[in-house]
Amino acid sequence: MLLIFTICLSVPLITLFHELGHALAALGLTKGEVTTYVGSYGDLNNSKKITFRRHTIYLGHNFLGWAKGMCVVHDPNLSIQRNIWIILAGPIFSLTPAIIFAIIISNQSDLELHNIYGIFGSALVIVFLTILSLTVNVWPSKKQILIDDGSYLF
């Protein structure tokens, strides 16, 4: 039961951290606006809009549907080098809290033995799912993703 709960909770959070990683890198490396979608590929109608300066985030209403997302950088002069850093920042940013969580849990000596294995096992599941997400997102794919506006991403 803990495994299912961990997966249901961690996948949306991994997606959120992943997309925020792209957004933070884009905000630091560009001067343009950045739009982040979590839980959709551009659905404005079924999302909550949050704006902070140059960054607009659309969070899908269904938390368990946050297994997908995208980050759009509105900068026509984006160089290839900066784009590569922005692309890499998503997986790296989502992996960092998972590893920190696993380290913190592994160093908890005051937890009872059966709790350590359950919680540490959950931490390992989160790290595994994050690495899987990293692999899927970094590995080139020929699969087209249909965006909510009718266009496609590759």
Side-chain angles (χ1 to χ4, degrees):
M1 192 67 167
L2 181 61
L3 176 64
I4 294 170
F5 178 76
T6 300
I7 291 170
C8 289
L9 184 63
S10 63
V11 169
L13 293 176
I14 290 168
T15 303
L16 176 65
F17 278 107
H18 178 98
E19 297 307 330
L20 287 177
H22 292 308
L24 291 173
L27 290 166
L29 295 172
T30 69
K31 300 210 183 297
E33 302 284 322
V34 177
T35 306
T36 303
Y37 301 91
V38 179
S40 77
Y41 292 127
D43 184 359
L44 304 178
N45 297 323
N46 296 309
S47 302
K48 167 119 174 92
K49 180 181 178 182
I50 301 169
T51 302
F52 184 73
R53 298 186 184 180
R54 297 186 297 129
H55 188 202
T56 301
I57 304 172
Y58 290 93
L59 298 173
H61 294 308
N62 179 5
F63 177 76
L64 296 178
W66 285 11
K68 61 183 176 180
M70 72 175 185
C71 183
V72 180
V73 181
H74 306 280
D75 187 343
N77 301 319
L78 185 61
S79 70
I80 293 173
Q81 292 84 4
R82 287 183 180 193
N83 197 25
I84 289 170
W85 283 113
I86 292 168
I87 290 168
L88 290 174
I92 291 169
F93 191 74
S94 63
L95 186 60
T96 304
I99 291 173
I100 291 170
F101 179 64
I103 291 169
I104 290 170
I105 295 301
S106 69
N107 289 325
Q108 296 300 314
S109 60
D110 58 340
L111 292 174
E112 294 180 23
L113 190 59
H114 68 279
N115 287 339
I116 290 174
Y117 289 118
I119 296 171
F120 187 67
S122 296
L124 289 179
V125 167
I126 293 169
V127 171
F128 171 77
L129 289 173
T130 306
I131 291 171
L132 180 65
S133 171
L134 183 145
T135 305
V136 167
N137 285 287
V138 172
W139 196 264
S141 172
K142 294 181 182 179
K143 179 184 172 191
Q144 296 180 345
I145 299 173
L146 178 62
I147 306 301
D148 286 348
D149 68 3
S151 62
Y152 287 91
L153 283 180
F154 296 91

